[in-house]
Amino acid sequence: QVQLVESGGGLVQPGGSLRLSCAATGRLFNIASMGWYRQAPGKERELVAHITNTGSTTYTGSVQGRFTISRSRDSVKNTVYLQMNSLKPEDTAVYYCKYTIVITGRTNDYWGQGTQVTVSS
């Protein structure tokens, strides 16, 4: 019903920037919210940034002021972005996007496949 494709990860030096994208297609009539999560080795998955259908955003404290979540939509797909600046080694993780979509009255979560971000000199 909903397909997500992530892109934009890679290797970057400390202080550098990356932009992650997550394009969704399918039944996108009622997107409640979108978010980016990350999971580092040996750690639990954590919420990094979140945006609601009204455009309200929240960030975890460690990325506040460095990361920006945004979205765009056209007739075919909806895309959520995560602009990451001033990257630090502790930002190294697999990053996942998540869409929360209401379909026929039920709330459903859809996850991207994950993209590796490595911050290292």
Side-chain angles (χ1 to χ4, degrees):
Q1 292 181 329
V2 176
Q3 297 78 41
L4 304 184
V5 177
E6 293 187 35
S7 61
L11 173 65
V12 64
Q13 292 186 342
S17 298
L18 283 175
R19 189 192 197 204
L20 306 183
S21 300
C22 179
T25 56
R27 299 186 66 179
L28 305 178
F29 306 116
N30 192 359
I31 298 174
S33 66
M34 294 157 282
W36 285 97
Y37 293 71
R38 67 186 179 188
Q39 188 166 18
K43 295 187 177 180
E44 293 187 354
R45 189 173 297 188
E46 65 169 347
L47 176 64
V48 176
H50 182 263
I51 185 167
T52 69
N53 60 350
T54 60
S56 177
T57 60
T58 56
Y59 300 90
T60 191
S62 62
V63 308
Q64 186 78 40
R66 299 188 297 123
F67 290 12
T68 303
I69 189 170
S70 62
R71 59 181 182 173
S72 68
R73 184 161 188 166
D74 60 29
S75 60
V76 177
K77 64 182 184 294
N78 187 100
T79 305
V80 62
Y81 304 95
L82 186 67
Q83 177 66 44
M84 305 185 293
N85 299 327
S86 302
L87 282 160
K88 304 175 181 181
E90 51 263 42
D91 295 317
T92 295
V94 178
Y95 284 70
Y96 300 89
C97 62
K98 186 181 82 169
Y99 279 68
T100 298
I101 302 174
V102 179
I103 300 176
T104 59
R106 296 182 62 180
T107 299
N108 302 274
D109 289 334
Y110 298 91
W111 291 89
Q113 80 275 16
T115 186
Q116 177 70 47
V117 171
T118 303
V119 184
S120 175
S121 56

